[in-house]
Amino acid sequence: MKKILAFIFFFTSVVIFAQEKFTLSGTVSEASSGETLFGVNVIIPELQTGTVTNQYGYYSITLPKGNYNVTYSNIGFASQTVDVALSENIKLDLELATDTENLDEVVIKANAENLSVRSSQMSANTLSSGTIKKIPVVLGEVDVIKAITLLPGVTSAGEGASGFNVRGGASDQNLILLDEATIYNSSHLFGFFSVFNPDAIKDLTLYKGGIPARYGGRASSVLDIYQKDGNKREYHASGGIGLVASRLLLEGPIKKDKASFLIGGRSSYAHLFLPLFDNDNIAYFYDLNTKLSYNINDNNRLFLSGYFGRDVFEISDSFTNNFGNTTLNLRWNHLYSDKLFSNLSLIYSDYYYGLALKFVEFDFDSGIRNFNLKYDFTHYISNNIDLRYGLNSIYYKFNPGDVNPTTEDSGINPFKLTDKYAWENAAYVDAKIDFSDKISVQAGLRLSTFNRLGQDKLFLYENNNPLNYDSNLKIYRKAKPIDTVSYSRSETIKSFINLEPRFSISYLLNENSSIKASYNRMSQYIHLISNTTSPTPFDIYAPSGKYIDPQLADQVALGYFRNFKNYSLEVETFYKEVKNRLDYIDDADLIANNAIEQILLNGVARAYGLEVLFKKTTGRFQGWLAYTLSKSEQRTPGRTEFESGINNGEWYNSPWDKSHDISVTGQYELSKKWSFGANFIFQTGIPTTYPEGQYEYNGMVVPVYEARNSSRLSPFHRLDLSATWTPKPESTKRWKGEWVFSVYNAYNRKNAASIRFSENTDIGKNEAVRLSIFGIIPSVTYNFKF
C-alpha cells in the first residue's frame, strides 16, 4: 500500500514550470434535457490537443496562458466553438443542441477522430443508444446485447442461450455493470431479450482488452452501461408497443434544472395468447428502471438508481424457472477542485435463481448477494497527465441452494445448503500520460484481495482431495468427507492476494493512423456453476476458497488504427491465457450439491485471434463490417501422471469456440420519413461431442463418445431487415411516433441450436435430431415519445 501511495504522490507532485498554466473545466450537457454527455470531445486546435468528458459529463484540461478557440463536439449534436481568454482558472459549463445538419461536422470530426487514434486505449467499443436502436433485432425489441455481438471479438452464446462470449472467454468471465452495479444475468427469456431497457440507456462501453485498472473481478471483459439521469427541464414519455413486449419510460424535473426523475418499465405478454393454441407453457419477463438525480450545487451531485427484473419460464407439468437481478446504487459526485473529481458509490446487487421441479415435487432457490463500497478519484494533473485512483470493497453472500418439498408425499426432506461468505477488496491507480505528440501511455496497477470468510460445516477430505480417481475405470468419483469444521463469520478460511498490472501504449504514425499495444492481468474470484444443456437450466455462483482457486487471466494485444475521410479501420490481434479455469467431471451432479468441489477439476484455457472492424460513420449510409478469426481451447490434465484428466489431458475446443465470425451492419436514411437497416451474421458452428459407437451391457445400450468437442454443429448464419417509418417527421406537436417493421432471419435459415440422438421407432435405428429455435420472424413495433 505504501508503494501505491508513493506512486500517487510522485505523479501528483509533477508540475511543469516552463510557463504559466491555467485550468479550463466544466460540465457538458444536452440543451433540451440537461442530461450530462459522456465522451464529448473538447478540442483546442491551436495546440492540436484536447480531452473528453467522463461518465458524468465533466472535463478538465490545463493549458498555457493564452487565447484559444475551444471546440465542443459530439456525434448527433451541433458543435460549438467558444473563445476563451485563459489568464486564470475558468469553469465553463456548456450545453449542446441536437443537430443533424451541422455544416462543420467533417472538420470537427476529423479532429475528434485524431484524438481517438492518439489515445492509448484500445480493444474498446462505445455505442450510443441511438446507434443501438437502428439495429434490427428479434421480435422488434431493441437489444443491447444483440448489438455488441455484432462487434469483432464478441459472439452470442447461441439462440435461446443467455450471455455472450468475448475473445474466447466464458459468459461468466464478463463483468456487466449497470450504473456501476453488477448484473449477474444479462438476458431475459434465455437470450431472446436483454435486461437493458433501450429507452433508459445513455451509452455503453465494452472493454475487450487493455482494461483500465479501475475494473476488476472478471477474466474476460467489462461491459459498462450508464442509465440516463432524467430530463431536468420538461416532462417527457417514450415507449413502444410490440407484438410480444411493450415498454414505457417517464422522465422529468422534480425541481427545474436542479432535480429529476426517471422511471421505466417493460413486460412481455405473448404467454397470454398461448392458451388459444392449446399450449399451457408459460414464458414472460418484466423489469423496472428507476433513477433520481439532484444537483446540490456546482460541486456536488447525488444520484439514486435502481433496477429490478424477473423471468418466469414454465413447462406445463415439468418445472418452473424464476430468476432475475435487483440493484440499487447511491452515488455522490464531488469536485474537490477544478482538477480533482470524485465519485463515492454505495451499491447493492442481488441475483435470485429459483427452480420448481414439479415431477420430483420440490423447490430449489439459490442466489448471490453483494454490498459494494467504492470511492474513485480522477485527478487532472496537467495537460499531459491524468490520474485515476480509488478503493473498492465488496461483501458477498452466496446461497448455493435451499430445497423444500412441495407436497407431503414427495419423499424429500427440506434442507438448506451451506451459505458461503466472502470479502473482496481492491486499490488501484491508473495514469494516462502523453509523453510527446506521438506517444501516449496508460499504465495502471490494481491490488486485489479475496477472503473466504467463515461458514458452517466445511467438508474436510483425506489429503485435502475432494475427488478420487479410479485408475481401472479411468473415471473420477466423489471423495467421502472425513470430517466437517465450522468457522465464525469473522474468521478467514482462505485468503488470496494478486497484483494486476495494466499497460497500454499508442504510437502515432501520422495524423490519421497509429499502432497500439496493451497488456492486462485480471483476477476472478467467483465462478459460475452452470449447466445450460440440461432440460432445467441451472445457475449458481461459487466463491474461491479452500478447494477452488481464483482464475488468473493474462492478455496481450497489438493493433493498427487508421482514419480515412469518412471511414475508420481497426485491426487487432490478441493472445489470452487463463489459469485455474474450472471444468466438470463426467456425469457431474449440479443440483442441490452441498460439496460442489467434488465435481470440479482445475485446468487452463487459451484464446488467440485476429479482429477487423471497418466503419463508415458519416452520410446517409452508415454501418460497419466486423470479422474475427480466432481459436478458444481448454486443457484439464490429471492431477498426477497416472490420472487421465478430461479428454486425456489434451487440448479441446471450448464450448464457445467459433473460428470465423462475420457481421455486416448497415443503416440507410432514404428520407426524413423512411430509414432502413440490415445485418448479416455468419459464424462457424459451435463445438459438440457425438457418439461414435455403442455397446450393450445388461440389456442397456451404452453410447461411446468421441473426444470432447471434436465435432461441430453446422455453420450459423442469418439476415435481419428493418424499416422505420416516421409519418410526420417535421411535426411540431409534442407527440412523435414511428413504426418499425422488422424481419428476423429473413430467409428462414433453420440454424441448429443442438443435435440429440434418439431411436427412430419406425425403423428401429438411432438417428440425429436437430433442434432449431427460430425460423423467420416478422414483427412490427410502434414507438412514441411526447
Side-chain angles (χ1 to χ4, degrees), residues 138-139 143 145-146 156-164 171 185-195 266 268 281-286 310-315 319-325 351-356 528 530-539 744 753 771 773-774:
V138 62
L139 302 176
D143 195 310
I145 301 300
K146 291 291 191 301
S156 66
E159 285 186 325
S162 301
F164 58 96
S171 59
N185 189 323
S186 62
S187 300
H188 281 312
L189 298 184
F190 303 107
F192 296 168
F193 300 90
S194 79
V195 301
R266 289 189 305 168
S268 66
N281 297 330
I282 293 176
Y284 66 91
F285 73 86
Y286 56 91
R310 280 291 182 270
D311 277 71
V312 177
F313 180 56
E314 181 176 340
I315 300 296
F319 70 92
T320 300
N321 196 193
N322 183 354
F323 62 91
N325 302 275
Y351 175 63
Y352 168 80
Y353 187 91
L355 196 59
L528 176 64
S530 177
N531 183 2
T532 57
T533 62
S534 68
T536 55
F538 179 79
D539 289 332
Y744 178 90
L771 172 64
I773 297 178
F774 286 142

Side-chain angles (χ1 to χ4, degrees), residues 178-179 181-185 187-188 194-197 200 227 248 262-268 284-291 305-312 322-329 348-353 369:
L178 179 63
D179 276 352
T182 303
I183 299 292
Y184 287 96
N185 189 323
S187 300
H188 281 312
S194 79
V195 301
F196 307 107
N197 185 339
Q227 294 186 122
L248 177 66
L262 177 147
I263 182 169
R266 289 189 305 168
S267 180
S268 66
Y284 66 91
F285 73 86
Y286 56 91
D287 55 27
L288 179 70
N289 297 76
T290 60
K291 193 166 187 178
S305 59
Y307 170 83
F308 178 82
R310 280 291 182 270
D311 277 71
V312 177
N322 183 354
F323 62 91
N325 302 275
T326 302
T327 70
L328 189 66
N329 184 8
Y348 169 80
S349 293
D350 177 85
Y351 175 63
Y352 168 80
Y353 187 91
R369 182 179 301 168

Side-chain angles (χ1 to χ4, degrees), residues 320-349:
T320 300
N321 196 193
N322 183 354
F323 62 91
N325 302 275
T326 302
T327 70
L328 189 66
N329 184 8
L330 177 63
R331 284 178 290 159
W332 171 45
N333 288 174
H334 176 64
L335 277 177
Y336 285 96
S337 70
D338 52 10
K339 291 188 176 184
L340 184 58
F341 178 91
S342 71
N343 179 69
L344 176 65
S345 298
L346 180 61
I347 307 165
Y348 169 80
S349 293

